[in-house]
Amino acid sequence: MSDASDAAARADAFARQAAAMRSPLGAYFRRRIRNAGEVEDLVQEVFLRLTVRGTPDHADHASAYIFQIAASVLADRHRRRTVRRADEHVPLDPDLRGEQDFDPARIYAGKQALNAAAAALMTMPERTRTIFLLRRIDGLRHQAIAKQLGLSVSAVEKHMVRAIEHLMAHAGGAR
């Protein structure tokens, strides 16, 4: 049973040395990462790996072994962050997004405005509506629309002016 008691004594000595390493490990990680909130998690990861891997045979080399594991933990963290592009994430700040994005009254007003615009579009002459939709929805240039419909560029421009005036007149009446 002396082998078992020797192993227990070695494990106990290693546990004391590992506990004494908590502060130096924290300093090690604080020097190498920006987010101070992750330091304690990384220290815990080192201790987790120590429990999984077991203790080394010689407690004399425990600190070197612990810092080797710490370097491995840091490398794994860097690899994960690189793959997940963690440095490119933008935190969601509700204060920057405006008041209430999903206010029911605002949603209803937006739907009403959209329905009014659709109704106004349907009352336009067909060619004017087609030109407006090709320009504003499909993003075609006036020259491309003119070529596609067999019109002059100035005719396309005039139809666009009429379409916008028509929509503005209906929007003014809808308010």
Side-chain angles (χ1 to χ4, degrees):
M1 283 246 227
S2 110
D3 288 339
S5 63
D6 285 345
R10 277 196 320 265
D12 190 43
F14 184 76
R16 281 193 307 277
Q17 190 167 8
M21 295 297 296
R22 179 176 287 283
S23 180
L25 277 172
Y28 173 83
F29 287 125
R30 273 190 292 284
R31 283 190 305 269
R32 288 165 175 77
I33 64 170
R34 283 186 240 150
N35 187 352
E38 290 183 63
V39 169
E40 188 59 33
D41 291 340
L42 294 172
V43 171
Q44 289 299 323
E45 178 68 23
V46 169
F47 289 131
L48 176 68
R49 289 187 187 186
L50 281 170
T51 59
V52 170
R53 292 181 184 173
T55 61
D57 290 335
H58 300 290
D60 302 338
H61 305 292
S63 62
Y65 182 65
I66 290 170
F67 279 107
Q68 183 180 9
I69 291 174
S72 175
V73 166
L74 200 57
D76 289 347
R77 174 192 175 270
H78 176 70
R79 216 176 355 263
R80 267 192 316 276
R81 290 179 60 81
T82 301
V83 168
R84 294 177 183 163
R85 299 178 188 259
D87 294 333
E88 297 175 22
H89 294 180
V90 178
L92 174 63
D93 187 0
D95 296 334
L96 297 177
R97 293 188 48 87
E99 291 182 13
Q100 295 178 344
D101 287 346
F102 301 109
D103 178 29
R106 184 172 167 227
I107 293 171
Y108 179 74
K111 286 182 180 180
Q112 291 298 97
L114 183 61
N115 289 338
L121 274 172
M122 295 311 292
T123 61
M124 280 184 201
E126 186 177 343
R127 179 164 285 194
T128 303
R129 180 176 58 243
T130 301
I131 290 171
F132 179 80
L133 293 174
L134 286 172
R135 175 71 184 119
R136 294 298 172 109
I137 304 299
D138 294 343
L140 296 179
R141 295 183 172 272
H142 289 175
Q143 296 85 355
I145 296 170
K147 185 176 179 182
Q148 183 176 343
L149 298 178
L151 300 171
S152 67
V153 173
S154 68
V156 170
E157 291 170 351
K158 288 177 185 174
H159 278 285
M160 280 300 295
V161 168
R162 282 191 212 124
I164 291 170
E165 288 173 347
H166 183 80
L167 288 173
M168 294 301 286
H170 277 76
R175 289 181 183 181

